[in-house]
Amino acid sequence: MYAVIRRYEYEGVMVSTSVFEDRSGAEESIKRAADFVRDNLAPLLPNGPQVTAGPVVAAG
């Protein structure tokens, strides 16, 4: 699962959420996303990324 949310009240802030089967999938996605952002979006995102990881605690 992947979702992107842009918060208009905060300039330059976007939130991206992903759910993975395992940690290695998450780590590969982070690497690919960092490469894409660096190559294509860096001028649009003045703030550096913050990565937060943890287990899923509820699912429906």
Side-chain angles (χ1 to χ4, degrees):
M1 182 186 93
Y2 179 77
V4 174
I5 303 164
R6 179 166 185 216
R7 300 203 47 193
Y8 289 98
E9 63 269 20
Y10 300 107
E11 186 66 31
V13 174
M14 296 182 82
V15 176
S16 171
T17 302
S18 301
V19 178
F20 301 93
E21 291 289 326
D22 55 36
R23 186 177 194 100
S24 65
E27 290 171 353
E28 178 64 21
S29 178
I30 291 167
K31 180 189 175 308
R32 289 183 186 202
D35 292 345
F36 179 83
V37 169
R38 182 193 63 240
D39 296 343
N40 299 286
L41 300 176
L44 302 174
L45 301 171
N47 302 313
Q50 177 182 345
V51 177
T52 304
V56 174
V57 295

